[in-house]
Amino acid sequence: MASMTLTINGKIHSVNVQQGTPLLWVLRDSLGLTGTKFGCGEGYCGCCTVIIDGDAVKSCGASVESAVGKKITTIEGLSRDRDHPVQRAWIEEEVPQCGYCQSGQILTAAALIARNPHPSDSDIDAAMDGVLCRCGTYHRIRRAIHHAADLKAGAK
Amino acid sequence: MKKTPSIDRRQFLKVVSVAGAGLAIGFYVSPKNFRDEVAGATPGIFAPNVWLRIDKSGSITVTVSKSEMGQGISTGLPMILAEELEADWTKIRFERADADTKYGSMGTGGSRSTRSLWNPLREAGAAAREMLISAAAQTWNVGRETCRAEVGGIVHVPSGRKLAFGELVEAASKLAVPENVPLKDPRDFHILGKRMHRLDTPEKIDGSAMFGIDVRVPGMLHAVVARPPIFGGSVKSVNATEAKAMPGVRHVVEISQGIAVVADSTWNAIQGRKALEIIWDEGPNANLSSAKIRSMLQEFSTRDGAVAEERGDVSLLGKAAKMIEAVYELPYLAHATMEPMNCTADVRNNRCEIWAPTQSADGARGAVAEAIGLSQDNVIVHVTYLGGGFGRRFESDFVVEAANISKAINAPVKVLWTRDDDMQHDWYRTTSLHHLIASANEKGELVAFKHKIIAPSINGQRWPQRVRGGLDHSAVEGAVELEYELPNSRIEYVMANTAIPVGWWRSVSASQNVFVVESFIDELASAAAIDPLEYRRQLLKKDSRMKNVLEIVAEKSAWGAPLPKGRYRGIACAPPAFFGSYIAHVAEISIEDNNVRVHRVVSAVDCGICVNPDSVEAQIESSIAFGITAALKGVITIEKGRVMQRNFDDYMLLTIDEMPKVEVHIVPSNLPVGGMGEPGLPPIAPAIANAVFAATGKRIRKLPIRLA
C-alpha cells in the first residue's frame, strides 16, 4: 500500500491504495466519485474519461501514481450547477439515453472545446471517436458540441 | 448452462389483452381503485393509487414501475398520468418502484411499457383529478360540475377562484376513489405529444445518476467471479492459496456459477482472480464451434418445419413461370451494454436486499427467492438506472449470482462483471439460417412464397413446454403476420438448439426475420424488374398504414430522384405485429475500399398516439445505430465451446464518425399507442443491404456485410 495525494475537482484527497491501481478505481471505490464509469478496462470505450491537466484521459489506463501532482477534473467537478456550456448544450439537445457513457462524452467534449473553440465535424470525429455509445446518441452529441461552442462563445 | 427461472417477456403476447401486463404473474392488478395503503396513510400526502402522490407543496411524484434503460420511460409514463391529472408539468417528479406485485408486471421489454401502462396511468391520473375537483367543490360548497382542473389546480369557473392541488391534499385524501372516471379526448391533450425534456437528463450530465455499478452499501465488499469459459463446463479443482494471499482479498468462495473472489476493492478482486489456479471440467461442449453449428443448421434445413403460418396453396410454387431461391444466414450477437452486468446483494439473517440494474425487478425477486431459499416477502429488490438493457438485463443470472455470493460470505457485496465476463457469458441473439423460395408469373407477379427458418429457440432451450409441435412463436416474429398480401405462402420453423445460451436481444427474432424478408422482397422486385418501392406498394392494401409510412419515407427521401455520384439508396419496412408501430427506412450509402458507409437514414413511423416526439426520434436513432452495428460489424464466434470475442477491440461498436444523419417523420395519429423501443431496428439492416445491391448488384445474404 502507498499513500498518495491527488488534486481532484480543486480539492486535495489523500488515498492509500496498491501501487499501480488504475485511477478509475481510486476515483470510484476509494473516493466515491462514481460519475466516472467502468466500461471495458482497456481503453477502448472511453466511459472512464477524466480531464487531467486539460487533456481527456481514459482513467482505466492511467495509474494512480501518474496522476499525482496533476489537476484532475471528473464529471462531478466540471461545474457547480450543471452550467458548463457542454452540460447546458447536453440538456438542450436532449443527448443522453441510458446515460452511462455520458460522463466520458461530456468531459471529452469539454476538453475539445477548451482547446478548439469552434470544432469542425471532422475535429469532433477525431476527438470523440474513442468514446463509445451503445444507445447511438452520436448525432445529438455532434449537434450539442456545436451548440456548446456557440454557448461558450456567446458567454464571453 | 445454468438455468435460472426467468420470465418470458413474450409469453402472453397474444393471450392477454392488456398486452405485456401479464408477463410475470399472468394477470394484471388494476390500479385504478387501489389506494396505496402505505403512502395513503401518511398525513399531508394525497395518494389515491399506487402511481402517484401529491404533497402539500403541490409536488407530484409519479411512480415508475418500468426500468429506465435509456428509452425515456421515466418521462413518458409520468406524461401519461400528468395529462389526465391536468398537472403543472414543472411539479412532476418521478420515483422508481421497488419490486412489488402491486404494480403488475414490472418486466421492461418487448416495447410494451407504454402500451401496457397507457390505460392504468390515464385512469390513475383521472381518478386523482376527479377527487381533487370534488375536494375543491366541497371546500367552496359549490356544485362539482362548476369546477374544472387546469394546470395544477382546480378552478371554480363562475367565480374564477382557484385552489392549487397542494391546497386540496387533505380534503381529497378523505374522499373515496371513484370508479369509471372520464378520460380526456386526445384532441384536448396538451402534455402528450409535446417535446418534453426528459426528467432524467440532469442527473445524467453531472455524474449523480445512480447506476447499478454505483451502488455503495455500508460494509460492502467487491467481487468478481471466475466462470467456466466453456458453455456447460464446471470447476474440477481450484487452488486459491495465492489468490487468498493477494492484497485486499477477503474470501474465495465456490458458488454454483464458478469461483468468486471477494476483496476490499474492485481492483483487488480483479487482481485476486488472476491469481486463481483453476482446472475446468470442460463438459460436453468442448468441441463446439461456429462451423459445427452452421453444419447442423444446414443439416436441419432439409427437415420439414413446423408450420407457423399458411395461406392459400403453396404447392403452386413449382407451377409458376419463374422461381427465385435464396439462403440467408445471421450470426450470434452479444448485447454489449456499456454498463457491464453487476449487482449488489446483502443476504443476512434470512433477509435479502438487492440493488440491481434489472429489466425484470419482479422476475429477479422471484429468481433470488428461489435460489437462496427465502420467501419473496423477505427479498427486497431496488432498481437502479440501467446502463443499457437491450434484453440482456431481462435475465436474472447476474442477480442470483450476487445473492449467492453474499449468502456465502454473510456480508453485502457488489459483484462486477468485467467486459470479458460480460461478452463471454451473455445470452446471445441467436444465429439463424433461412431458406426462401418464391415463384412469379410471366408478368412478374408473386404467385407463391415459402420461408423456412432454421434456428435455435430461446423458449426451447429454457422453457421447452412453451414449444408446441416444434413451433416457437417467438422465433418466427417478423416472418409471420406480414402486412404484405402474399397469396399462397407458408412460413416454417425448424428448431435447432445448441449449447450456446440464447436470449432476448433488442427486437429479438425480428432482427433476423425482417432482414431476410425485406431483402428477399427486394430480390423479388429485382427479378420482376420493378422498383423496390413500387413492388412493395403492390403487395400492400391500398389504404394501409404500412403503405402510408412507405409513401412518406419515399417522399422525404426523394426516392427515385438522382443522388450524388457514388451514393445509393435502399428501402425496407417492418410490420406492426410485434411492436405495435409501422416503420420504414431509406438508407443512403456509399462504398469505399469494400467498406459500406451509411450517410443518411430517412425514417417514417406511425406509432399511433405519440407520447413524446423527442423520445420517439431518439429511439429510432438508437435502433438505427444498434442495427447498423449489427449489419456492418457484429459477430460472435464459437471455438472449442467458448466465445472468441472478449472486448471492444474484437466486438466493435459503431463510432461517432460512422453514425449517419437520421431524419424521423412521425405520422400524426390518435390511434392506440404503439411501442418504440425496438421497431426501428429490424428494417435498417435490409435497407442498407438493399442499398448495397443497388450499388454493386451483389445481394447481401449474410450478416455482417462483408464485401471483400
Coordinates of all heavy atoms in Angstrom, one line a residue, chain B residues 226-279:
Chain B
A226 N -14.8 -16.0 -11.4 CA -14.2 -16.8 -12.5 C -15.2 -17.9 -12.9 O -15.6 -18.7 -12.1 CB -12.9 -17.5 -12.0
R227 N -15.8 -17.7 -14.1 CA -16.8 -18.6 -14.6 C -16.2 -19.6 -15.6 O -15.3 -19.2 -16.3 CB -18.0 -17.8 -15.2 CG -18.6 -16.8 -14.3 CD -19.7 -16.0 -14.9 NE -20.1 -14.9 -14.0 CZ -19.4 -13.8 -13.9 NH1 -18.3 -13.5 -14.5 NH2 -19.8 -12.8 -13.0
P228 N -16.8 -20.8 -15.7 CA -16.3 -21.7 -16.7 C -16.3 -21.0 -18.1 O -17.3 -20.5 -18.6 CB -17.3 -22.9 -16.7 CG -18.0 -22.7 -15.4 CD -18.0 -21.3 -15.1
P229 N -15.1 -21.0 -18.8 CA -15.0 -20.4 -20.1 C -15.8 -21.1 -21.2 O -16.2 -20.5 -22.2 CB -13.5 -20.4 -20.4 CG -13.0 -21.5 -19.6 CD -13.8 -21.6 -18.4
I230 N -16.1 -22.4 -20.9 CA -16.8 -23.2 -21.9 C -18.3 -23.4 -21.5 O -18.5 -23.7 -20.3 CB -16.1 -24.6 -22.0 CG1 -14.7 -24.4 -22.5 CG2 -16.9 -25.5 -22.9 CD1 -13.8 -25.6 -22.2
F231 N -19.2 -23.2 -22.4 CA -20.6 -23.4 -22.0 C -20.8 -24.9 -21.6 O -20.4 -25.8 -22.3 CB -21.5 -23.0 -23.2 CG -21.4 -21.6 -23.5 CD1 -20.8 -21.2 -24.7 CD2 -21.8 -20.6 -22.7 CE1 -20.7 -19.8 -25.0 CE2 -21.7 -19.3 -22.9 CZ -21.1 -18.9 -24.1
G232 N -21.4 -25.0 -20.4 CA -21.6 -26.4 -19.9 C -20.4 -26.9 -19.1 O -20.4 -28.0 -18.6
G233 N -19.3 -26.1 -18.9 CA -18.2 -26.5 -18.1 C -18.5 -26.3 -16.6 O -19.5 -25.7 -16.2
S234 N -17.5 -26.8 -15.8 CA -17.6 -26.6 -14.4 C -16.2 -26.6 -13.8 O -15.3 -26.9 -14.4 CB -18.5 -27.7 -13.8 OG -18.0 -29.0 -14.1
V235 N -16.2 -26.3 -12.5 CA -14.9 -26.3 -11.8 C -14.5 -27.7 -11.4 O -15.3 -28.5 -10.8 CB -15.0 -25.5 -10.5 CG1 -13.7 -25.5 -9.7 CG2 -15.4 -24.0 -10.8
K236 N -13.3 -28.2 -11.9 CA -12.9 -29.5 -11.5 C -12.1 -29.4 -10.2 O -12.3 -30.1 -9.2 CB -12.0 -30.1 -12.6 CG -11.6 -31.6 -12.4 CD -10.7 -32.1 -13.4 CE -11.4 -32.8 -14.5 NZ -10.5 -33.3 -15.6
S237 N -11.2 -28.4 -10.2 CA -10.4 -28.2 -8.9 C -9.9 -26.8 -8.9 O -9.7 -26.1 -10.0 CB -9.2 -29.2 -8.8 OG -8.3 -28.9 -9.8
V238 N -9.7 -26.3 -7.7 CA -9.2 -24.9 -7.6 C -8.1 -24.8 -6.5 O -8.2 -25.4 -5.5 CB -10.3 -23.9 -7.4 CG1 -11.1 -24.2 -6.1 CG2 -9.8 -22.4 -7.3
N239 N -7.0 -24.1 -6.9 CA -6.0 -23.8 -5.8 C -6.1 -22.3 -5.6 O -5.7 -21.5 -6.5 CB -4.6 -24.2 -6.3 CG -3.6 -23.8 -5.3 OD1 -3.9 -23.2 -4.3 ND2 -2.3 -24.2 -5.6
A240 N -6.6 -21.9 -4.5 CA -6.8 -20.4 -4.2 C -5.8 -19.9 -3.2 O -5.9 -18.7 -2.8 CB -8.2 -20.2 -3.6
T241 N -4.7 -20.7 -3.0 CA -3.7 -20.2 -2.0 C -3.2 -18.8 -2.3 O -3.1 -17.9 -1.5 CB -2.6 -21.2 -1.8 OG1 -3.2 -22.5 -1.7 CG2 -1.7 -21.0 -0.7
E242 N -2.7 -18.7 -3.6 CA -2.1 -17.5 -4.0 C -3.1 -16.3 -4.0 O -2.8 -15.2 -3.6 CB -1.4 -17.7 -5.3 CG -0.4 -16.6 -5.6 CD 0.2 -16.8 -7.1 OE1 0.3 -17.9 -7.6 OE2 0.4 -15.7 -7.7
A243 N -4.3 -16.6 -4.5 CA -5.3 -15.6 -4.6 C -5.7 -15.0 -3.2 O -5.8 -13.8 -3.0 CB -6.6 -16.1 -5.3
K244 N -5.8 -16.0 -2.3 CA -6.1 -15.5 -0.9 C -5.0 -14.7 -0.3 O -5.3 -13.9 0.6 CB -6.4 -16.8 0.0 CG -7.7 -17.4 -0.3 CD -7.9 -18.6 0.6 CE -9.3 -19.2 0.5 NZ -9.4 -20.6 1.0
A245 N -3.8 -14.8 -0.7 CA -2.7 -14.0 -0.2 C -2.5 -12.7 -0.9 O -1.7 -11.9 -0.5 CB -1.4 -14.8 -0.3
M246 N -3.4 -12.4 -1.9 CA -3.2 -11.2 -2.6 C -3.8 -10.0 -1.8 O -4.7 -10.2 -1.0 CB -4.0 -11.2 -3.9 CG -3.5 -12.2 -4.9 SD -1.9 -11.6 -5.7 CE -2.6 -10.4 -6.8
P247 N -3.2 -8.8 -2.0 CA -3.7 -7.7 -1.2 C -5.2 -7.4 -1.2 O -5.8 -7.5 -2.3 CB -2.9 -6.5 -1.8 CG -1.8 -7.1 -2.6 CD -2.2 -8.4 -3.0
G248 N -5.8 -7.3 -0.1 CA -7.2 -6.9 0.0 C -8.2 -8.0 -0.2 O -9.4 -7.8 0.0
V249 N -7.7 -9.2 -0.6 CA -8.6 -10.3 -0.8 C -9.1 -10.9 0.5 O -8.3 -11.2 1.4 CB -8.0 -11.5 -1.7 CG1 -8.9 -12.7 -1.8 CG2 -7.7 -10.9 -3.1
R250 N -10.4 -11.0 0.6 CA -11.0 -11.4 1.9 C -11.6 -12.8 1.8 O -11.5 -13.5 2.8 CB -12.2 -10.5 2.3 CG -11.8 -9.0 2.4 CD -11.1 -8.8 3.7 NE -10.7 -7.3 3.8 CZ -11.5 -6.4 4.2 NH1 -12.8 -6.7 4.5 NH2 -11.1 -5.1 4.3
H251 N -12.2 -13.2 0.7 CA -12.8 -14.5 0.6 C -12.5 -15.0 -0.8 O -12.6 -14.3 -1.8 CB -14.3 -14.5 0.8 CG -14.8 -13.8 2.0 ND1 -14.9 -14.5 3.2 CD2 -15.1 -12.5 2.2 CE1 -15.4 -13.6 4.1 NE2 -15.5 -12.4 3.6
V252 N -12.4 -16.3 -0.9 CA -12.5 -17.0 -2.2 C -13.6 -18.1 -2.0 O -13.4 -19.0 -1.1 CB -11.2 -17.6 -2.7 CG1 -11.4 -18.4 -4.0 CG2 -10.2 -16.5 -2.9
V253 N -14.7 -18.0 -2.6 CA -15.8 -19.0 -2.4 C -16.2 -19.6 -3.7 O -16.3 -18.9 -4.7 CB -17.0 -18.3 -1.6 CG1 -16.6 -18.0 -0.2 CG2 -17.5 -17.1 -2.4
E254 N -16.6 -20.9 -3.6 CA -17.2 -21.5 -4.8 C -18.7 -21.4 -4.7 O -19.3 -21.7 -3.7 CB -16.7 -23.0 -4.8 CG -17.3 -23.7 -6.1 CD -16.5 -25.0 -6.4 OE1 -15.6 -25.3 -5.8 OE2 -17.0 -25.6 -7.4
I255 N -19.3 -21.0 -5.8 CA -20.7 -20.9 -5.9 C -21.1 -21.7 -7.1 O -20.2 -22.1 -7.8 CB -21.2 -19.4 -6.0 CG1 -20.5 -18.7 -7.1 CG2 -21.1 -18.7 -4.6 CD1 -21.1 -17.4 -7.5
S256 N -22.4 -21.8 -7.4 CA -22.8 -22.7 -8.5 C -22.3 -22.1 -9.8 O -22.1 -22.8 -10.8 CB -24.3 -22.9 -8.5 OG -24.9 -21.6 -8.4
Q257 N -22.1 -20.8 -9.9 CA -21.7 -20.1 -11.1 C -20.2 -20.2 -11.4 O -19.7 -19.9 -12.5 CB -22.1 -18.7 -11.2 CG -23.6 -18.5 -11.3 CD -24.3 -18.5 -9.9 OE1 -23.7 -18.8 -8.9 NE2 -25.6 -18.2 -9.9
G258 N -19.4 -20.5 -10.3 CA -17.9 -20.5 -10.5 C -17.2 -20.2 -9.2 O -17.7 -20.5 -8.1
I259 N -16.1 -19.5 -9.3 CA -15.3 -19.2 -8.1 C -15.3 -17.7 -7.9 O -14.9 -16.9 -8.8 CB -13.8 -19.6 -8.2 CG1 -13.7 -21.1 -8.6 CG2 -13.0 -19.3 -7.0 CD1 -14.1 -22.1 -7.6
A260 N -15.8 -17.2 -6.8 CA -15.9 -15.8 -6.5 C -14.7 -15.3 -5.7 O -14.4 -16.0 -4.7 CB -17.2 -15.4 -5.8
V261 N -14.1 -14.3 -6.1 CA -13.0 -13.6 -5.3 C -13.5 -12.3 -4.8 O -14.0 -11.5 -5.5 CB -11.8 -13.4 -6.2 CG1 -10.7 -12.7 -5.4 CG2 -11.2 -14.7 -6.8
V262 N -13.5 -12.3 -3.4 CA -14.1 -11.1 -2.8 C -13.0 -10.3 -2.1 O -12.2 -10.9 -1.4 CB -15.2 -11.6 -1.7 CG1 -15.9 -10.4 -1.1 CG2 -16.2 -12.6 -2.3
A263 N -13.0 -9.0 -2.4 CA -11.9 -8.2 -1.8 C -12.5 -6.8 -1.3 O -13.7 -6.6 -1.4 CB -10.9 -7.9 -2.9
D264 N -11.5 -6.0 -0.8 CA -12.0 -4.7 -0.3 C -12.1 -3.7 -1.4 O -12.6 -2.6 -1.1 CB -11.0 -4.3 0.8 CG -9.5 -4.1 0.2 OD1 -9.3 -4.5 -1.0 OD2 -8.7 -3.7 1.0
S265 N -11.7 -4.0 -2.6 CA -11.9 -3.0 -3.7 C -12.1 -3.9 -5.0 O -11.7 -5.0 -5.1 CB -10.8 -2.1 -3.9 OG -9.6 -2.7 -4.4
T266 N -12.6 -3.2 -6.0 CA -12.8 -3.9 -7.3 C -11.5 -4.3 -7.9 O -11.3 -5.5 -8.3 CB -13.5 -2.9 -8.3 OG1 -14.7 -2.3 -7.7 CG2 -14.0 -3.7 -9.5
W267 N -10.5 -3.4 -7.8 CA -9.2 -3.7 -8.4 C -8.6 -4.9 -7.7 O -8.0 -5.8 -8.4 CB -8.4 -2.5 -8.4 CG -7.0 -2.7 -9.1 CD1 -5.8 -2.7 -8.5 CD2 -6.8 -2.9 -10.5 NE1 -4.8 -2.9 -9.4 CE2 -5.4 -3.0 -10.6 CE3 -7.7 -3.0 -11.6 CZ2 -4.8 -3.3 -11.9 CZ3 -7.1 -3.2 -12.8 CH2 -5.7 -3.4 -13.0
N268 N -8.6 -4.9 -6.4 CA -8.0 -6.0 -5.7 C -8.7 -7.3 -6.0 O -8.1 -8.4 -6.0 CB -8.0 -5.7 -4.2 CG -6.9 -4.7 -3.9 OD1 -6.0 -4.4 -4.7 ND2 -7.0 -4.1 -2.7
A269 N -10.0 -7.3 -6.2 CA -10.8 -8.5 -6.6 C -10.3 -9.0 -7.9 O -10.1 -10.2 -8.1 CB -12.3 -8.2 -6.5
I270 N -10.2 -8.1 -8.9 CA -9.7 -8.4 -10.2 C -8.3 -9.0 -10.2 O -8.0 -10.1 -10.8 CB -9.8 -7.2 -11.2 CG1 -11.2 -6.8 -11.4 CG2 -9.1 -7.5 -12.5 CD1 -11.4 -5.4 -12.1
Q271 N -7.4 -8.4 -9.4 CA -6.1 -8.9 -9.3 C -6.1 -10.3 -8.6 O -5.3 -11.2 -9.0 CB -5.2 -8.0 -8.5 CG -5.0 -6.6 -9.1 CD -4.6 -6.6 -10.6 OE1 -5.5 -6.4 -11.5 NE2 -3.4 -6.9 -10.9
G272 N -6.9 -10.4 -7.6 CA -7.0 -11.7 -6.9 C -7.5 -12.8 -7.8 O -7.0 -14.0 -7.8
R273 N -8.4 -12.5 -8.7 CA -8.9 -13.5 -9.6 C -7.8 -14.0 -10.5 O -7.8 -15.2 -10.9 CB -10.1 -13.0 -10.4 CG -10.7 -14.0 -11.4 CD -12.0 -13.6 -12.0 NE -11.8 -12.5 -13.0 CZ -12.7 -12.0 -13.8 NH1 -14.0 -12.5 -13.7 NH2 -12.5 -11.0 -14.6
K274 N -7.0 -13.1 -10.9 CA -5.9 -13.5 -11.8 C -5.0 -14.6 -11.2 O -4.3 -15.3 -11.9 CB -5.0 -12.3 -12.2 CG -5.7 -11.4 -13.2 CD -4.8 -10.2 -13.6 CE -5.5 -9.2 -14.4 NZ -4.8 -7.9 -14.4
A275 N -4.9 -14.5 -9.9 CA -4.0 -15.5 -9.2 C -4.7 -16.8 -8.9 O -4.0 -17.7 -8.3 CB -3.6 -14.8 -7.8
L276 N -5.9 -17.0 -9.2 CA -6.6 -18.3 -9.0 C -5.9 -19.3 -10.0 O -5.6 -19.0 -11.1 CB -8.1 -18.2 -9.4 CG -9.0 -17.6 -8.3 CD1 -10.4 -17.5 -8.9 CD2 -9.0 -18.3 -7.0
E277 N -5.8 -20.5 -9.5 CA -5.4 -21.7 -10.4 C -6.6 -22.6 -10.4 O -6.9 -23.3 -9.5 CB -4.2 -22.4 -9.8 CG -2.9 -21.5 -9.9 CD -1.8 -22.1 -9.1 OE1 -1.8 -23.4 -8.9 OE2 -1.0 -21.4 -8.6
I278 N -7.3 -22.6 -11.6 CA -8.5 -23.4 -11.7 C -8.3 -24.4 -12.8 O -7.8 -24.1 -13.9 CB -9.7 -22.6 -12.0 CG1 -9.9 -21.5 -11.0 CG2 -11.0 -23.4 -12.1 CD1 -11.0 -20.5 -11.3
I279 N -8.7 -25.7 -12.5 CA -8.7 -26.6 -13.6 C -10.2 -26.9 -13.9 O -11.0 -27.1 -13.0 CB -8.1 -28.0 -13.2 CG1 -6.6 -27.7 -13.0 CG2 -8.3 -29.0 -14.3 CD1 -5.8 -28.9 -12.4

